[in-house]
Amino acid sequence: MAFKRNPQTFNASINEVTFGTGDKAVTLGGGNTFPMYTFDGEAKNKVAIGVEISDSGVDMTVPGIAEYYAGAEGIGAIAKKASEMPGADFVVLTLDGADPNGTNKSVEDCVAVAKEVADAIDCPLAIQGCKNIEKDIQLFEKVAEALAGKNVLFVSAREESYKSIAAAAVMAYKQKISAESAVDINLAKQLNVLISQMGIQPENYVMNVGSAAAGYGFEYVASTLDRVRGAALGQNDAMLQMPIITPVSSEAWSVKEAVVSEEDFPEWGAREERGIEMEVSTAAAVIAGGSNAVILRHPKTVDTIARLVGALM
């Protein structure tokens, strides 16, 4: 008997959120099928790839990354090179230097860096803070003001900071934000509800449900992504229908396989290749789980994931 395939589509769909301006603006989300189920229906918008750079400069300890940015002097030149990386859709500026426990750059200095980056690229920009709640609130407010009209995506607003960040970035300066939670569907939904109760419309924010490098408790990430997408589409849960963005690079390049030297563990092979493999594996896994955008670092990873997305979407 011939096999008869029944497409699995849903009445519900994932919201669309656009950031950036002009022809290169990126739209995340859309579609009403499970991730990569293009055999069941149109994906609508492909998974977007962001290239992460830091205000602290290029990571010179990783050969492939250092070589790619060779000759790029200053954050503007680095940003331009990142925007030109094959497969890149947007640039992600991480303001590591603002960390009070590190370099502790002033808010004014970080604003100047963000403006230089925004002026140097012609693609959308996303901005990550230093992970210090109080400092990030100050940073995002001032950077949002300085980049008014750029339609920037600020990653991320947490339960402790969402009111201030949403009020400044979205309500005052018409930017976009992402709601960050810690790998838990209930926490993700609760934060989305709180943001919506401020009057923030669905087209103005995405979710960052958290991640981990492949092999490092990633089963919790996989389970959360699967439950979020299942509830969003199968149960038509409006509070879980936001597109998902996943910062992969910070997880993949911080685990021991990507950090320890070849001298200490020669049997593990080249450090660069280990880091690439961790980044590719994690990015592919979160995309399969439902992430609509990933943040990456290495040129080979960006190229590999871009080709994967092109082949499947």
Side-chain angles (χ1 to χ4, degrees):
M1 185 171 65
F3 170 72
K4 182 179 179 181
R5 185 176 66 84
N6 295 313
Q8 186 177 18
T9 58
F10 303 90
N11 293 325
S13 63
I14 304 303
N15 301 334
E16 289 186 294
V17 176
T18 299
F19 68 105
T21 60
D23 295 338
K24 291 191 175 182
V26 168
T27 299
L28 305 179
N32 64 342
T33 65
F34 282 131
M36 297 299 181
Y37 277 41
T38 50
F39 43 80
D40 278 347
E42 183 184 4
K44 198 162 187 181
N45 297 302
K46 74 179 185 69
V47 172
I49 298 172
V51 178
E52 182 188 25
I53 60 173
S54 171
D55 67 326
S56 300
V58 177
D59 184 355
M60 301 304 292
T61 66
V62 180
I65 296 176
E67 290 167 7
Y68 179 80
Y69 290 102
E73 299 292 336
I75 192 64
I78 292 170
K80 189 173 188 302
K81 285 280 287 184
S83 71
E84 295 169 348
M85 192 177 289
D89 296 301
F90 61 101
V91 170
V92 184
L93 171 63
T94 301
L95 296 170
D96 293 307
D99 188 352
N101 297 313
T103 308
N104 197 23
K105 289 182 181 177
S106 69
V107 171
E108 292 73 20
D109 287 344
C110 292
V111 168
V113 168
K115 289 176 68 175
E116 185 176 350
V117 168
D119 290 341
I121 63 177
D122 62 354
C123 65
L125 175 63
I127 294 182
Q128 296 186 122
C130 64
K131 298 188 182 301
N132 178 281
I133 299 293
E134 292 76 18
K135 190 66 171 286
D136 281 350
I137 289 174
Q138 299 174 47
L139 280 176
F140 287 176
E141 179 180 354
K142 294 300 183 183
V143 174
E145 179 182 11
L147 300 184
K150 296 285 188 179
N151 197 20
V152 174
L153 174 62
F154 287 84
V155 186
S156 295
R158 307 182 193 178
E159 185 176 3
E160 304 91 337
S161 62
Y162 77 92
K163 288 183 180 179
S164 299
I165 292 174
V170 181
M171 301 173 76
Y173 301 111
K174 312 301 181 186
Q175 314 280 18
K176 302 295 194 298
I177 60 170
S178 104
E180 179 182 354
S181 53
V183 197
D184 184 301
I185 185 173
N186 296 312
L187 294 177
K189 180 173 179 176
Q190 176 184 341
L191 185 52
N192 289 339
V193 169
L194 292 171
I195 291 175
S196 71
Q197 288 175 344
M198 292 181 64
I200 306 297
Q201 296 302 306
E203 63 268 21
N204 290 318
Y205 66 108
V206 302
M207 289 190 289
N208 168 15
V209 300
S211 186
Y216 284 81
F218 190 82
E219 63 271 19
Y220 294 102
V221 179
S223 174
T224 300
L225 287 168
D226 184 60
R227 292 179 66 198
V228 167
R229 280 295 170 252
L233 297 174
Q235 300 172 27
N236 194 16
D237 191 330
M239 288 296 101
L240 291 171
Q241 289 171 350
M242 294 71 186
I244 297 172
I245 185 170
T246 306
V248 170
S249 54
S250 57
E251 299 287 346
W253 287 97
S254 64
V255 298
K256 62 183 180 181
E257 288 85 352
V259 171
V260 298
S261 69
E262 296 169 36
E263 290 75 17
D264 290 337
F265 289 86
E267 68 274 19
W268 285 11
R271 180 192 168 207
E272 179 186 3
E273 293 304 317
R274 288 185 257 128
I276 293 170
E277 289 166 2
M278 290 299 298
E279 196 172 29
V280 167
S281 299
T282 305
V286 298
I287 289 171
S291 186
N292 303 101
V294 289
I295 298 173
L296 308 175
R297 192 175 296 170
H298 199 287
K300 286 187 179 179
T301 307
V302 172
D303 178 65
T304 300
I305 296 301
R307 289 188 285 113
L308 173 70
V309 169
L312 295 178
M313 300 185 75

